[in-house]
Amino acid sequence: MSLLKRWLLAFVAPKPLIGALYLPRYARDLLAYRRMATGQGRPALGDTYPCLTDWTPSTQFDAHYFHQGAWLAGCLRDTAPDLHVDIGSSVMMVGVLCAQVPVLFVDYRPLNVCIPGLLSVAGDIKRLPFADGSVASISSLHVLEHIGLGRYGDPLDSQGSVRGAAELARVLAPGGRLYVSVPTGRDQTCFNAHRVFSPPALRSLFPDLLLQGFALVDDEGKFDPDARFESGQHLEYGCGMYIFSKR
């Protein structure tokens, strides 16, 4: 990465222009470090790589993705499936899960990696490559809200979430477990980023399945593993996590 690109990125990612506020501190630290370092350990100005937004009092993280990954890992630890199928969830989470249980990962944009315990194939959540009732353990976390909005190059479809949910229900085996998470709160479509579902609206996408569990991250990022179903109704952008089964 070129010097110019490194410096430009420092001011636009992850929060545009916020890095400029920390530039004086960066300059002071750079000069102080250059004075204390010697030989090859002394940073050349042409090698500088400013990271200007990491001076935080606590470790920053995305509450939705952190908690849903830990939640699913705990579920799979308890159920210990022979194979777990994931549809389009976080690849970072999938990469960790495959050390615990063999994972078949299906995504509209295939993941080109080769690591033990993980097989990745291209697929569309609206046309899953599985027979009816054939998958005993399946997840799709923070995915349904995007289907049909075109954000990731998929075709526009106002019923995308409905069709995706129907496919997840179709392939779920009797007695199996389906793990789903979506943005939770008042029902809305925030084109083309995502949709937000109230718990009843999400529940209605799976009319023939049994709801076995509900967990929630609220607007403040607090996680409740045994949340009341109605507690997500009035959030702005929480994360509801649902466990479904099929008779």
Side-chain angles (χ1 to χ4, degrees):
M1 185 184 297
S2 69
L3 177 63
L4 177 60
K5 186 174 182 179
R6 294 199 300 267
W7 274 86
L8 287 175
L9 286 175
F11 293 101
V12 299
K15 298 179 180 179
L17 303 182
I18 296 297
L21 299 176
Y22 296 97
L23 189 58
R25 176 173 176 173
Y26 175 83
R28 291 194 304 270
D29 285 359
L30 175 61
L31 292 174
Y33 191 90
R34 281 174 57 85
R35 285 194 296 269
M36 72 173 62
T38 59
Q40 293 183 346
R42 193 165 190 250
L45 295 180
D47 292 332
T48 52
Y49 196 145
C51 299
L52 304 177
T53 59
D54 294 329
W55 289 300
T56 58
S58 60
T59 299
Q60 302 299 295
F61 65 100
D62 186 305
H64 288 202
Y65 284 85
F66 178 86
H67 288 299
Q68 72 179 15
W71 170 78
L72 180 58
C75 292
L76 297 185
R77 175 200 59 211
D78 295 339
T79 58
D82 293 331
L83 174 70
H84 180 72
V85 174
D86 182 83
I87 314 298
S89 303
S90 162
V91 296
M92 300 297 287
M93 180 193 74
V94 167
V96 173
L97 286 180
C98 73
Q100 173 182 329
V101 57
V103 175
L104 173 58
F105 179 64
V106 182
D107 197 281
Y108 190 75
R109 304 172 300 169
L111 176 64
N112 296 315
V113 298
C114 183
I115 59 174
L118 176 63
L119 176 62
S120 177
V121 298
D124 185 342
I125 193 173
K126 295 192 294 182
R127 293 182 295 276
L128 290 174
F130 306 112
D132 294 357
S134 63
V135 182
S137 182
I138 185 169
S139 60
S140 192
L141 306 187
H142 253 305
V143 175
L144 280 177
E145 69 268 22
H146 300 299
I147 308 304
L149 296 181
R151 176 175 174 178
Y152 298 107
D154 55 316
L156 295 178
D157 184 351
S158 63
Q159 296 299 302
S161 296
V162 176
R163 301 184 206 281
E167 272 292 89
L168 292 172
R170 178 186 68 79
V171 303
L172 180 64
R177 287 292 184 271
L178 166 64
Y179 308 94
V180 172
S181 77
V182 292
T184 299
R186 61 183 181 89
D187 294 304
Q188 54 186 306
T189 298
C190 306
F191 190 85
N192 67 346
H194 56 257
R195 302 178 183 91
V196 180
F197 299 88
S198 65
L202 190 284
R203 178 69 186 88
S204 71
L205 296 181
F206 300 95
D208 297 325
L209 300 186
L210 303 174
L211 180 64
Q212 301 287 358
F214 177 65
L216 183 69
V217 175
D218 66 16
D219 285 339
E220 284 70 49
K222 295 179 181 178
F223 176 62
D224 183 350
D226 298 300
R228 292 181 298 109
F229 188 67
E230 62 273 16
S231 61
Q233 184 78 23
H234 303 295
L235 298 177
E236 184 66 23
Y237 187 72
C239 180
M241 306 169 211
Y242 303 77
I243 303 175
F244 292 104
S245 68
K246 180 183 286 185
R247 291 185 179 88

